[in-house]
Amino acid sequence: MPDNDPMTAAPSPLSPADRPRLGLRERKKIKTREAIRAATYALVKEQGYDATTIEQIAERAEVSPSTVFRYFPTKEDIVLTDEYDQLMADELRGRPPGEPWMDSVRHVMRLAIEANNRENPDVARLRARLSVDVPAVRSRMFESMSTTGRLLREAIAERHGKDPDSVEVRVYAMSFIGGLMEVSMYWAEHDFEGELSDLVDRALDVLEHGLPIENP
Amino acid sequence: MPDNDPMTAAPSPLSPADRPRLGLRERKKIKTREAIRAATYALVKEQGYDATTIEQIAERAEVSPSTVFRYFPTKEDIVLTDEYDQLMADELRGRPPGEPWMDSVRHVMRLAIEANNRENPDVARLRARLSVDVPAVRSRMFESMSTTGRLLREAIAERHGKDPDSVEVRVYAMSFIGGLMEVSMYWAEHDFEGELSDLVDRALDVLEHGLPIENP
DNA sequence: CACTGTTTTGAGAGTTACTCTCATTTCATG
DNA sequence: CATGAAATGAGAGTAACTCTCAAAACAGTG
């Protein structure tokens, strides 16, 4: 009856073991979801993305193929779905209002990278690599990008007292996301050398000031 | 034997009737390609994108389904493939070297919009609308975005004497494209009201200077 | 524990985009 | 016209999804 379908909703994002009082049903759903994801990551690492079929995933996760599709609308979603966007948008909103915009952004990006590194660094890399190598995954990632863009433009609009649906805010938000996404691809293409945070810093500089020495 | 497969290559971009000395084979291929596209546009207008199957397209274009796939790798490509990117990149490269970068960009964008308006305004709108409404098409569009990004960063690097594969140039190029793509979606979402060129101008302002009155 | 209603699951059939193969047709050329 | 190359069509095959429906697992109640 309630509006939000727990089947398609993501589980509580940053909760490792603290699932206090959930019904057996809910706990099972979370377990199933994680089983499907784990099976997928393992199979993709073994065989590659394209060679991995939903049937294999279902088999390893010990569920039926139907169930896989009930939990994830597409194969790409199994790999890519994450819950960080909303968290980052909230974090951004929570920064002190006096803080310069770019400082807030830097702060939040740093947090996100750290959290990701602490929790599941290999998954993050697998994702980045897949989004470079597999067109379908990349497409899905771009797609989620526009969702993120929507969140970001709300945060931006709120912060600057602007209309979130103006061309200006929308363009600004999307150009931001485009730039950040490129960083992730650059990082994957260069085999994850160096610190991601350094790359992000350089990207933010470009987003803030344009290309260095643009007008000598 | 030659490397470039004429089957997958696009026909000469901006040539309406001037196909002088092409073999019968080549002319037929161009006709087939255009027939498939025309059939697709018509069917999509009549029934919508999802309801239109490859079989229907093949039937109306009077070719076999196999042939449709020979000409276009995916259904989305039939709708989206265009040849303007390369032209614009070349145009950009052809601008006088003294001209300020943003002036060059504005000039080229203006040209592109005019050309598109003159040639096939309704197709451009159909595309924009589909890329708002149909996830698969939108994804494919994002995908082609990253191709465009590659062209753009070459042009940028050349112009500014920078490495086209540096993070800076890549981020700059991609943020640019992200912003411009958002304009197209904004335009479609607002039912193509107003002049696209005005929206693009506002977008370019944002890309150049950031959000207006960002630091009051 | 038994009873009842709701949620979740599995099984199966069906659709469709896309791939591959091979025989046939269509054009190019000497 | 003959010969070779390229384009087409036909058909079988795969795999991601969708829909439907009946069986199973859970939740709450007497």
Side-chain angles (χ1 to χ4, degrees), chain B residues 1 7 25 29 64 66-67 70-71:
Chain B
M1 197 72 79
M7 200 63 104
R25 230 161 212 170
K29 269 195 286 194
S64 74
S66 319
T67 299
R70 251 192 279 277
Y71 279 82

Side-chain angles (χ1 to χ4, degrees), chain B residues 95-154:
Chain B
R95 300 300 301 169
E99 187 175 55
W101 166 248
M102 270 298 172
D103 290 358
S104 300
V105 172
R106 274 174 219 279
H107 177 86
V108 171
M109 288 302 299
R110 204 172 309 257
L111 272 185
I113 292 173
E114 276 172 19
N116 222 344
N117 266 342
R118 197 173 337 107
E119 293 220 29
N120 37 21
D122 48 338
V123 168
R125 292 179 184 206
L126 180 59
R127 281 185 189 175
R129 192 183 297 280
L130 287 178
S131 68
V132 167
D133 293 341
V134 184
V137 176
R138 182 170 49 241
S139 289
R140 182 64 188 75
M141 188 161 214
F142 283 132
E143 179 67 24
S144 83
M145 194 173 96
S146 73
T147 307
T148 308
R150 220 161 295 140
L151 289 176
L152 183 58
R153 75 197 195 208
E154 303 267 334

Side-chain angles (χ1 to χ4, degrees), chain B residues 2-33:
Chain B
D3 225 20
N4 80 344
D5 183 354
M7 200 63 104
T8 58
S12 56
L14 291 173
S15 59
D18 56 335
R19 299 169 198 138
R21 287 296 127 223
L22 287 173
L24 177 54
R25 230 161 212 170
E26 301 301 315
R27 271 177 287 157
K28 246 192 166 169
K29 269 195 286 194
I30 294 178
K31 267 177 62 178
T32 303
R33 206 183 170 82

Side-chain angles (χ1 to χ4, degrees), chain B residues 157-193:
Chain B
E158 193 173 310
R159 177 66 160 264
H160 293 84
K162 293 188 163 296
D163 175 11
D165 295 317
S166 64
V167 215
E168 280 79 9
V169 169
R170 286 182 57 165
V171 165
Y172 184 77
M174 203 57 171
S175 77
F176 224 95
I177 307 247
L180 289 179
M181 175 144 294
E182 187 74 12
V183 171
S184 155
M185 302 190 65
Y186 179 95
W187 192 49
E189 283 176 26
H190 290 71
D191 297 313
F192 311 108
E193 292 168 14

